[in-house]
Amino acid sequence: MTLTNAPPGSGLFVLLALFLTVATVWLLLRAIETRPKEIDARSFLVLIIVIIPFVMVIYFGLATIICNEIVAARSNPPILPSELSLRKIVPATVTYIGLSTWVWLRCRRP
């Protein structure tokens, strides 16, 4: 999605996706922390490598699809298929690193 054809309010969808991602990862982490004896390196790595990216793809993908439908409803050319750009890669990477660090700090805490 470029800035020229992004619908007004599309930033709100991205913020909503970010909030839902953090809330979902927090709930999953709380569920894992209820059984502290079962937290090991394997469950931590599964959370970091599999679950966090999956949750991010679901929520940010839905935000992109909704923004595409808004643009298509305005009779503009749709924004999908979306080309990858640095504007999309950097926020996703920062979000992933931030969530992974947050999970790692919470798992290290006794």
Side-chain angles (χ1 to χ4, degrees):
M1 183 176 353
T2 61
L3 292 177
T4 56
N5 63 352
S10 63
L12 293 176
F13 287 114
V14 174
L15 288 176
L16 179 64
L18 178 63
F19 173 77
L20 289 173
T21 300
V22 171
T24 303
V25 170
W26 180 74
L27 286 173
L28 289 171
L29 191 59
R30 293 283 300 215
I32 290 172
E33 287 177 346
T34 58
R35 299 180 179 185
K37 292 181 182 178
E38 295 181 14
I39 297 178
D40 57 349
R42 191 182 80 180
S43 64
F44 172 73
L45 288 175
V46 166
L47 187 67
I48 296 278
I49 295 172
V50 176
I51 295 175
I52 290 177
F54 179 75
V55 170
M56 287 177 65
V57 164
I58 295 296
Y59 288 132
F60 285 103
L62 285 174
T64 303
I65 291 170
I66 290 170
C67 289
N68 186 54
E69 292 299 319
I70 291 172
V71 168
R74 292 180 167 199
S75 72
N76 293 333
I79 58 176
L80 288 177
S82 180
E83 70 282 344
L84 280 177
S85 68
L86 199 57
R87 274 189 193 167
K88 296 174 193 165
I89 294 172
V90 170
T93 304
V94 168
T95 302
Y96 177 72
I97 291 171
L99 283 172
S100 299
T101 305
W102 176 60
V103 167
W104 179 68
L105 290 173
R106 284 191 57 116
C107 286
R108 277 190 54 211
R109 190 174 48 166

